[in-house]
Amino acid sequence: MATFLYRLGRFSFRKRHFVALFWVALLALAGAGAAGAPAAGNSSFSIPGTEAQKAFDLLDERFPGASADGATARVVFKAPDGQKMTDPGNKAAVQDTVDELSGGAEVAQVTDPYQGGGVSQDGTVAYASVTYKVPGMELEETSREALKAAAEDARDSGLTVEIGGDALQAIPETGSAEIIGIGVAAVVLVITLGSLLAAGLPLLTAIVGVGIGVATITALASTLDLGSTTSILASMIGLAVGIDYALFVVSRYRAELAEGREREEAAGRAVGTAGSAVVFAGLTVVIALVGLSVVNIPMLTKMGIAAAGTVAVAVLIALTLIPAVLGYAGRRVRPAGEKSKLLGGGRAKDKADRPNAGTRWASFVVRRPLAVLLLGIIGLGAAAVPAGSLELGLPDDGSQPTSTTQRRAYDLLSDGFGPGSNGPLVVVVDAQGSEDPQAVFRQAGDEIKALDNVVNVAPAAPNKAGDTATIAVIPDAKPSSVATEDLVHDIRAVGADIKDGTGAEVLVTGATAMNIDVSQKLNDALLPYLVLVVGLAFLLLIVVFRSILVPLKAALGFLLSVLAALGAVVAVYQWGWLSGLMGVEETGPIMSMMPIFMVGVVFGLAMDYEVFLVTRIREAHVHGEKPAQAVVTGFRYSARVVTAAAIIMIAVFSGFIGSSDSMVKMIGFGLAIAVLFDAFVVRMAIVPAVLALLGDKAWWLPKWLDRALPNVDVEGESLAAHDGAAGKDDEDKELVRA
């Protein structure tokens, strides 16, 4: 592989006009597709194989035209102090609003608060429910504007009016913090590479890669039902790995220049060595992201595949576009150790004999490996303690900022009707084939009413055929509470008894039940997913490092970092520690997708640093250095770059903490803190300590396995056969044939 990548690097350097034109054309093509595509909305959400999804599908079948999957809105009214919603003037204003909303072209139904039990017991709060004919992602902007206008007209009469539900759900915004993250990355690159031009190359190529990935996702969003969050997550991961991969190739290029090689030869060797590490690091990320499909939640599968595609583009750009732009830069990109005149060029030579920070740190670790190892494990273990209190759920309007109308509507409903009114359960009773469906409907309602934590059970509403009915159940607790989850399980237990006695099927659905089923499905899939992803990556790393213990250490270190990161997420978003600093206005359960998403993404990113760092250590060991000295040599050449890459990734992920979407905000924080733990505690401390303790045993591999494994030559040993002469025509021909 190293030889092929070496030739690819030289080809890209020499044929830079062709390579640059190819990527610019691809970016333009993707951009044109995105410009002509419909805007992405919120992806349709389904959970195959769950009771909530089965009930949802049954509603579509037995209640045609009821728009079971249509967008919903709750217009909540609050009377002025000293008045009630039943006062004639307030009642007339609400009636005008209901009439105004009923005329909408996409409106399926509007419930009158005074006829549908939508007035609180104290008379101060009322709500009208609006159901639309189309899902929220397909709702026309005119319908949203009409909803806002109707609320504004009601406000003019003196009422407080807020709107909840998904009809007004907006595409998430990441805010200016994302730009700050890129700015921090730029500063780190300048400090690391000692040149404004060299620092600009990774940023430029990463932006091109993310532009291609996100534009492609946008172009296909409507066709493949990709939600707006998909492109945000793809840009988050693609930007971080794109900068890092490019940084490693540029850094190796400068190191090759410092050894006296010509620029084309240096580009070839940089791609042949650092590029090999990029390929395998990228593969681990892609495996982790594509592996999300085992969960069998279509939305999560699409998010994973889209992000994996963006990572694959980042790898290809690092292997081809980076050497091409290095060719354009020419002598303006200086050898390692030299700085541009603007940044104080020439001063580095005065400190040439002084060991760098990576060398000094590695020397310290190999002298005291056991102490460093124990300190790292104890620290991560302490950070992981809050993960034992992890509670899972999905965000609702209660997690929105208090500045939004959705959150204010949520609070008004909680005050007027109790917190459970924000998450009503829909019980579907399928009595088809039963001798007395009406009796079954009554029995189901009575038994549910007798359960704990139930505030109200509406009368059964049968369909036209009379064989299926829906029963609305209002819990006593808020939708994301453990008590509401227990109630869902209790209703399902009642349904099992009814089925045994009558043959009728009782199913629970609605947004709250759907969230509970998602959490359960994700919990059930976590262990198989972990085994699949870690197992595949373990095999891949055995091939890369030709060792058993090094990949095992890498996997165990990952588990430590991801548990510590989950602990930090629980401490901030569930317990409320530093919540003000992180912009968390409402604590609560952790998003159901968080653990499995973090396992996938963090594992891929953790293996990035493992590959980049340990490849340099193994390269020194292969060339004859003793284990402890190989660790020091590896850190001398790679610690600075790995540290810079980690800081860049943390900065990019932290930028998404400013997003308006609670899911994106939480993922941004979780990934940033996970990279912090993994890069600076696991890879920079625990890894060298373990390698120092293991000595030569770290690189042990059974002889039969050594013979069976392919030699991928990540260290670039085969490149020693190349004499560095540039411009060989036969290499271009071989590349074309390859």
Side-chain angles (χ1 to χ4, degrees):
M1 173 179 284
T3 301
F4 171 78
L5 293 178
Y6 165 80
R7 292 169 177 164
L8 178 62
R10 292 191 61 175
F11 173 85
S12 300
F13 186 95
R14 190 183 311 127
K15 305 293 184 182
R16 48 188 171 272
H17 301 310
F18 169 77
V19 173
L21 182 62
F22 170 80
W23 285 110
V24 170
L26 194 59
L27 178 61
L29 184 63
N42 295 298
S43 177
S44 57
F45 194 74
S46 63
I47 331 166
T50 61
E51 179 175 316
Q53 187 63 45
K54 183 179 179 181
F56 187 83
D57 295 339
L58 186 65
L59 285 174
D60 271 347
E61 177 188 340
R62 303 286 175 83
F63 291 82
S67 302
D69 63 343
T72 59
R74 277 186 168 185
V75 184
V76 187
F77 308 88
K78 187 178 188 302
D81 292 341
Q83 299 183 24
K84 294 184 180 298
M85 291 305 304
T86 51
D87 292 346
N90 295 333
K91 192 172 182 179
V94 172
Q95 189 61 56
D96 289 342
T97 303
V98 170
D99 293 341
E100 185 177 349
L101 289 171
S102 299
E106 294 183 310
V107 174
Q109 184 182 12
V110 182
T111 59
D112 189 321
Y114 303 99
Q115 297 177 5
V119 181
S120 63
Q121 288 186 351
D122 62 5
T124 60
V125 180
Y127 71 89
S129 296
V130 185
T131 304
Y132 291 88
K133 299 175 183 177
V134 296
M137 64 178 296
E138 299 175 14
L139 202 62
E140 295 287 342
E141 190 60 33
T142 53
S143 296
R144 292 191 176 94
E145 292 301 324
L147 179 60
K148 295 176 185 176
E152 194 59 42
D153 290 343
R155 290 189 188 104
D156 292 340
S157 67
L159 298 174
T160 299
V161 186
E162 304 295 347
I163 305 170
D166 63 354
L168 291 184
Q169 197 165 21
I171 294 175
E173 297 177 358
T174 54
S176 59
E178 181 183 357
I179 305 300
I180 296 174
I182 295 176
V184 172
V187 172
V188 173
L189 286 169
V190 170
I191 295 173
T192 304
L193 299 176
S195 165
L196 293 174
L197 180 63
L201 298 183
L203 281 176
L204 173 65
T205 56
I207 290 171
V208 170
V210 169
I212 292 171
V214 172
T216 302
I217 291 170
T218 304
L220 299 175
S222 180
T223 304
L224 301 181
D225 190 23
L226 303 177
S228 55
T229 305
T230 303
S231 60
I232 292 177
L233 295 177
S235 66
M236 178 194 301
I237 296 170
L239 187 61
V241 300
I243 295 174
D244 279 8
Y245 294 165
L247 170 62
F248 280 99
V249 174
V250 173
S251 298
R252 187 61 184 246
Y253 171 77
R254 295 177 72 236
E256 297 293 339
L257 288 179
E259 293 182 10
R261 291 190 171 88
E262 293 297 325
R263 294 187 178 274
E264 183 179 326
E265 176 70 9
R269 287 180 176 270
V271 175
T273 51
S276 297
V278 166
V279 169
F280 283 99
L283 272 177
T284 60
V285 180
V286 169
I287 287 172
L289 291 170
V290 173
L292 290 170
S293 58
V294 304
V295 183
N296 196 27
I297 294 180
M299 185 182 76
L300 195 59
T301 300
K302 293 170 186 176
M303 287 167 54
I305 292 175
T310 307
V311 171
V313 171
V315 171
L316 293 174
I317 281 181
L319 300 178
T320 58
L321 187 56
I322 281 292
V325 294
L326 287 173
Y328 283 117
R331 298 187 180 279
R332 289 186 292 273
V333 174
R334 300 170 181 270
E338 292 186 18
K339 296 181 180 181
S340 65
K341 293 181 180 179
L342 183 62
L343 298 174
R347 297 177 186 173
K349 294 180 181 180
D350 298 334
K351 301 179 180 180
D353 296 328
R354 181 185 176 187
N356 63 20
T359 302
R360 297 195 300 273
W361 169 250
S363 299
F364 169 80
V365 173
V366 297
R367 287 197 304 268
R368 299 173 180 81
L370 188 58
V372 172
L373 177 62
L374 291 176
L375 186 62
I377 292 175
I378 292 171
L380 290 178
V385 168
S389 304
L390 178 68
E391 295 177 11
L392 298 177
L394 284 178
D396 55 22
D397 284 348
S399 61
Q400 297 270 6
T402 52
S403 58
T404 62
T405 185
Q406 292 97 325
R407 172 60 185 277
R408 292 196 293 265
Y410 181 98
D411 292 340
L412 285 176
L413 282 173
S414 295
D415 294 341
F417 299 89
S421 61
N422 283 292
L425 304 174
V426 179
V427 178
V428 183
V429 184
D430 180 9
Q432 194 176 61
S434 174
E435 295 181 0
D436 189 354
Q438 291 296 328
V440 173
F441 300 155
R442 287 193 298 272
Q443 179 186 354
D446 292 341
E447 293 194 25
I448 293 171
K449 195 177 297 183
L451 295 173
D452 294 334
N453 196 35
V454 174
V455 171
N456 184 52
V457 178
N463 62 350
K464 290 182 179 179
D467 58 6
T468 307
T470 60
I471 301 174
V473 180
I474 305 297
D476 183 45
K478 64 181 182 178
S480 58
S481 67
V482 175
T484 300
E485 182 177 349
D486 292 340
L487 176 60
V488 170
H489 293 313
D490 291 342
I491 295 174
R492 287 172 174 170
V494 166
D497 294 338
I498 292 175
K499 185 174 183 178
D500 292 340
T502 66
E505 194 166 17
V506 179
L507 306 170
V508 186
T509 189
T512 301
M514 193 80 80
N515 291 351
I516 291 170
D517 285 353
V518 168
S519 299
Q520 186 61 50
K521 193 174 182 71
L522 289 166
N523 282 338
D524 294 342
L526 183 58
L527 184 58
Y529 173 70
L530 192 61
V531 171
L532 172 69
V533 171
V534 175
L536 288 175
F538 180 76
L539 295 176
L540 185 65
L541 291 179
I542 289 177
V543 174
V544 174
F545 296 128
R546 309 194 77 78
S547 163
I548 298 293
L549 296 180
V550 170
L552 181 61
K553 164 201 56 77
L556 293 177
F558 150 73
L559 291 176
L560 273 175
S561 58
V562 80
L563 284 174
L566 277 175
V569 170
V570 170
V572 173
Y573 289 89
Q574 187 174 311
W575 291 1
W577 294 4
L578 301 176
S579 57
L581 182 64
M582 296 298 167
V584 181
E585 297 191 22
E586 183 74 20
T587 59
I590 303 304
M591 184 186 65
S592 301
M593 296 181 188
M594 194 68 188
I596 201 162
F597 192 82
M598 281 189 64
V599 165
V601 177
V602 175
F603 183 79
L605 300 179
M607 294 307 102
D608 277 3
Y609 299 118
E610 180 75 15
V611 170
F612 291 136
L613 187 63
V614 180
T615 295
R616 267 293 198 170
I617 296 173
R618 173 169 166 75
E619 185 176 342
H621 180 70
V622 166
H623 290 151
E625 293 187 10
K626 292 183 178 180
Q629 184 57 42
V631 171
V632 175
T633 300
F635 268 69
R636 178 188 307 141
Y637 290 112
S638 59
R640 178 184 176 91
V641 180
V642 169
T643 300
I647 294 173
I648 288 168
M649 199 168 281
I650 291 168
V652 172
F653 288 150
S654 298
F656 289 85
I657 298 175
S659 171
S660 61
D661 186 277
S662 58
M663 181 174 76
V664 175
K665 182 191 293 284
M666 190 181 295
I667 289 175
F669 172 79
L671 294 183
I673 200 72
V675 170
L676 177 68
F677 288 148
D678 193 85
F680 293 104
V681 181
V682 175
R683 309 302 153 190
M684 287 292 179
I686 293 178
V687 165
V690 171
L691 290 177
L693 289 170
L694 290 175
D696 287 319
K697 295 174 184 171
W699 309 107
W700 172 79
L701 187 69
K703 291 183 179 179
W704 65 268
L705 185 56
D706 188 35
R707 290 192 298 269
L709 291 177
N711 183 13
V712 296
D713 188 22
V714 177
E715 296 82 17
E717 293 178 73
S718 60
L719 299 185
H722 293 264
D723 59 7
K728 295 181 180 179
D729 294 334
D730 59 331
E731 288 181 1
D732 291 346
K733 294 176 182 177
E734 286 182 37
L735 178 63
V736 172
R737 287 199 299 270

